[in-house]
Every structure is written in C-alpha cells, then in structure tokens.
Amino acid sequence: MKDLADANTGKFQDPNVTAKGEARAKVALSDPQTLWFNTGTLCNIECASCYIKSSPTNDALVYITTAEVAQYLDQLEDRNWNVREIAFTGGEPFMNPDMIDITRAALERGYDVLILTNAMRPMMRKKMQRGLVDLNEAYPGKITMRVSVDHYDATLHDEERGAGSFAKTLVGMEWLRDNGFKMAVAGRTIWGDSDAQSRAGYGAFYTDHAFDIDASNPAETVLFPEMDETVDVPEITTACWGILDKSPNAMMCASSRMVVKRKGAEKPAVLACTLLPYDAEFELGTTLEEAEVPVALNHPHCAKFCVLGGASCSG
C-alpha cells in the first residue's frame, strides 16, 4: 500500500485487518457537516514541515474552478447531505484566481464558509481585499478566516514558516480585524507546550492585538498535533472504540469529505479527509455518492491525529 518508516513496518497494510490480525476500525459517513475543497497546492511560502508539501512550485493539486465547485454544491443538494459549512484549504487559497467567486458560490447557497489562509500577500492583494470586503458585507457573519499562526512567539513561528512571516501574517490579521471579519487561528503543538500553556500564550497574543478570538475554544484556536509518519503509533481496531471511550461518529471522516483536482486529471476527486491528499487508497471516487462509503483507518494519521490526538480540521 505505502512505504512507511521503520517504526510502523508491517502496519497499515490491509484496510480490513491490522498487523496483528484484528479487525480494523472503519468510520461511516454518519453526519456530513463540512465539505472541503482544496483550492490547489501552490503556496506563496514553503514551510519546514507541511503535511501537504505546499510550496511556490508544487502544483500536484491544481486550481479548482468555480464551475467545478458549483457541480459539487449541486450534488450536495441532490444527496441531501446535512452540510452546514463549505471549507477551503490549500496551498494558499488566495493563490487561486477564482477564490472570491468560489466563496460567493458557497455563500449564495446559504452555507457558512471557512477559509484557511496564512493571511499574507495573496490575501492582501487589492482585488482579493475588495472581493472579501464585498462578500463580508453581503453575508455578515458567514465567513470565518482561520489564520495559520504556528506559534504565538514570532521566532518559533518563523522557524517553521520563514523569516519575517509572522510580521506579514500579523499585518493580514490586523486588516481582517479592522474590516470586521470573524477570525480563528490554527496553531501547532510541535514545540512541546502543554495545551494550557499554548492557550495561555495565544490568549495573551490576542489581547495584545485586540483580536476577538477565544483561546480556550478549540473551534477558534485549533491546536494540531504533529503529523509524523516516522513515529510508532498503534493501529485502531474495532475494539478500540470501547477501550478508548471514543465514538467513530466523532472522527473527521464521519462528518466531512474533501474535493481535490489532481494535475492532469479530467475530473476532481473526492477524498476521505483533508490529511491524506496523495494516498490513492483514500480516494473515494469522483462524486459525492461514491464517497458515501465507510473509511478504513489504515494510516498513521488516522490513529495519531484523529483518534488519539482528538483533532479535527473542521473545528
């Protein structure tokens, strides 16, 4: 299936059984709440450890178009999914020239919109600023901008995203604040801070800059665990739900799917989740109907990030 590091040798090979021969846990699409679109993997920066390997040159996932997004919004209505939110990730979504029109297409249908951004130059171009302000005025309270602030300390943030990136993101966040946008933050836990330490640090950062973001709310300050495939993680069996006192309905793949457009592909594809954009096993088809099948938790990210880490991209 895939070549993983020595720590997980022999694991995550069979979608039905673990290396020990136990029944692998699977998650049904029980309550779809969020439909994600990857707008393309091109990004204005290249982070030290980006799970999707976004960069100024990576176009493995090409720009999705407004027309393609609209087709999936049509399918949502046809399938009667109870989706409340359309979410956009990248790459950097504001690299996509259709981003304003894509956002408008989702808002016109009554959905809340979540956009993940680094709030740097692509978002700050005049055309994007004008478009965002117009949309926020036309659909007040319906757009949330989740800004990537890997750490509230500028030095540590820049360690991951490049010298000067914190200052540029801060300018973008201040523009969003001054123009009345709802904001959230995506941080990371790779520096070993406890949850309480991280949230206290982000809280002080928000206070210093008058950002109306709740550091204690996991939906507004999302702290992602490290996604490192070289770390030994247990496989999740059907018995784990009872042992861990967790429900498969709480997993990200129970409530969301992601649409991507691969370079050279005739049509976009629907994936099990946002974390596994390149793994063919987690490509479920080209339509939402095909994507209604259960997902086998057959990857280290499924265990470490979702089940054990308790994280979700949707908040």
Side-chain angles (χ1 to χ4, degrees):
M1 172 191 133
K2 53 179 81 72
D3 292 325
L4 296 176
D6 290 344
N8 290 304
T9 297
K11 298 180 182 179
F12 306 105
Q13 300 298 309
D14 188 317
N16 296 309
V17 296
T18 68
K20 293 182 179 179
E22 299 170 292
R24 185 177 304 283
K26 296 184 179 182
V27 174
L29 184 68
S30 57
D31 185 24
Q33 291 287 309
T34 303
L35 181 61
W36 287 86
F37 290 91
N38 187 292
T39 60
T41 39
L42 287 174
C43 187
N44 55 303
I45 59 174
E46 185 170 3
C47 296
S49 53
C50 174
Y51 81 97
I52 201 169
K53 300 179 176 63
S54 297
S55 76
T57 58
N58 180 12
D59 61 351
L61 303 182
V62 297
Y63 292 147
I64 200 162
T65 67
T66 306
E68 289 165 339
V69 169
Q71 290 173 3
Y72 284 95
L73 298 180
D74 290 340
Q75 291 180 45
L76 277 181
E77 296 173 6
D78 292 341
R79 303 305 301 167
N80 293 316
W81 286 19
N82 190 34
V83 161
R84 62 175 177 82
E85 173 186 69
I86 304 298
F88 300 101
T89 185
E92 168 53 47
F94 291 103
M95 297 280 284
N96 186 319
D98 279 6
M99 193 59 215
I100 297 300
D101 289 339
I102 287 171
T103 304
R104 182 181 293 107
L107 291 167
E108 287 176 343
R109 309 251 188 153
Y111 296 108
D112 292 338
V113 167
L114 173 67
I115 303 175
L116 278 55
T117 178
N118 57 38
M120 295 171 73
R121 183 174 180 181
M123 188 196 77
M124 294 293 282
R125 288 177 292 170
K126 294 301 181 184
K127 179 180 178 181
M128 293 297 179
Q129 286 182 322
R130 286 194 300 269
L132 283 171
V133 168
D134 288 346
L135 290 175
N136 201 42
E137 290 177 351
Y139 301 94
K142 297 291 284 183
I143 304 171
T144 298
M145 308 291 284
R146 184 190 289 168
V147 182
S148 297
V149 182
D150 285 338
H151 200 280
Y152 51 84
D153 179 270
T155 301
L156 294 180
H157 176 93
D158 286 0
E159 180 182 290
E160 174 66 23
R161 291 183 172 255
S165 62
F166 185 90
K168 293 174 183 176
T169 290
L170 182 57
V171 170
M173 293 181 73
E174 290 171 341
W175 180 84
L176 290 168
R177 176 201 64 199
D178 294 344
N179 283 277
F181 284 88
K182 286 172 59 179
M183 278 194 291
V185 156
R188 302 178 70 178
T189 61
I190 60 177
W191 291 279
D193 295 343
S194 69
D195 185 81
Q197 289 172 327
S198 292
R199 295 192 184 280
Y202 279 105
F205 169 64
Y206 302 153
T207 298
D208 288 345
H209 298 282
F211 294 146
D212 185 15
I213 307 171
D214 186 350
S216 64
N217 184 343
E220 294 189 30
T221 303
V222 188
L223 301 178
F224 289 116
E226 179 67 358
M227 292 185 288
D228 185 352
E229 293 182 20
T230 67
V231 175
D232 184 21
V233 294
E235 295 184 280
I236 305 300
T237 70
T238 54
C240 288
W241 302 124
I243 295 169
L244 298 171
D245 193 24
K246 295 198 174 186
S247 168
N249 293 335
M251 300 301 105
M252 186 163 54
C253 48
S255 60
S256 66
R257 292 289 185 264
M258 183 170 77
V259 179
V260 305
K261 180 71 178 293
R262 300 196 188 284
K263 187 175 183 178
E266 183 180 344
K267 297 179 179 180
V270 187
L271 310 185
C273 79
T274 61
L275 304 178
L276 301 166
Y278 301 125
D279 197 316
E281 180 183 339
F282 294 91
E283 186 170 313
L284 306 178
T286 62
T287 68
L288 297 186
E289 182 178 9
E290 292 172 299
E292 291 173 350
V293 297
V295 175
L297 302 186
N298 195 29
H299 193 281
H301 290 347
C302 303
K304 190 171 190 293
F305 187 86
C306 294
V307 178
L308 302 176
S312 170
C313 289
S314 296

